[in-house]
Each structure stands twice: as structure tokens, then as C-alpha cells.
Amino acid sequence: QVQLVESGGDLVQPGGSLRLACEARMFTLDYYAIAWFRQAPGQGREGVSCYSKTEDITHYADSVKGRFSVSRDQVKETLYLNMDNLKPEDTGTYYCVTDRGASCIDWYRWATTLDTWGQGTQVTVSS
């Protein structure tokens, strides 16, 4: 069964950095596109990034370009969301998900089309 587990959320000051982890259990990241979404209190899910090994591409939302990056540990089958220069508007619960396909095409739509979401990991940016 495909399972993704998020971790690494914390309270951090504006301008700080944080690294979130998305561990893939029982499958390899080689064949599945993985997206990061976030949800602030009272708001809908917002796409942050999508990584596809098959397409050899990583997409980023405009709001995080230049500040966030995705990296991968192949041995641990873990995808990381590296977040720098954090802002209060980055606050939210962060989720990693997959539609079980290899492509990031239309990945923004996963926010409303996917039924299965994990518990996420909480990021709070505040002084």
C-alpha cells in the first residue's frame, strides 16, 4: 500500500529555515510523482511543489520560488522540502501526496481530486 509520512514541522522565526521530510513507505519514489501542498487555517489547500523522477522535473509555486527547494535521499526513499527565508504566510500544515502516477501534469488539481491525505506536519512562522 502506498504510504507517505510527513515530518519536520516546527515553529520558526521569519527569515529562518526548515526542512520537511516525506518518507515513502512500501514503494519507490522512482515511479511516482510527489507533490507538497499546504493548508493555512480556514483556507483551502495550496500547491507548493511537485517532483517527478520520470519527467526529471520539479515544479514550484510562484509564492515559494527561490526560497524552497526539493531534494531526495534515494537510500531512505525520502523527499525533502527545504524551506529558506520563511515568511509568516508560509504558516500551515504541509502534506506530501501522490496520485500514484509518474507525472506532475495538472498536479495543482490534486488539492481537490485526491481522497487520501496524511496527517501532515505543522509549520508555524512567527516571531
Side-chain angles (χ1 to χ4, degrees), residues 1-93:
Q1 182 178 355
V2 171
Q3 186 178 13
L4 293 167
V5 181
E6 309 94 340
S7 64
D10 205 345
L11 170 64
V12 62
Q13 291 188 343
S17 298
L18 205 58
R19 187 177 78 164
L20 306 183
C22 174
E23 180 187 358
R25 296 181 178 177
M26 305 298 290
F27 72 100
T28 175
L29 294 172
D30 283 347
Y31 306 120
Y32 292 86
I34 307 295
W36 285 96
F37 284 82
R38 65 187 181 187
Q39 187 168 24
Q43 298 186 22
R45 295 188 184 108
E46 174 192 15
V48 174
S49 178
C50 186
Y51 162 87
S52 168
K53 172 70 164 56
T54 302
E55 297 175 322
D56 191 24
I57 195 168
T58 304
H59 299 277
Y60 296 97
D62 288 343
S63 58
V64 305
K65 279 181 182 176
R67 301 188 298 120
F68 290 13
S69 65
V70 169
S71 60
R72 176 185 170 185
D73 184 324
Q74 283 189 282
V75 174
K76 295 181 179 180
E77 289 294 6
T78 297
L79 201 67
Y80 297 100
L81 182 66
N82 307 292
M83 306 186 294
D84 295 320
N85 190 20
L86 282 162
K87 304 175 181 181
E89 50 263 43
D90 295 319
T91 294
T93 303

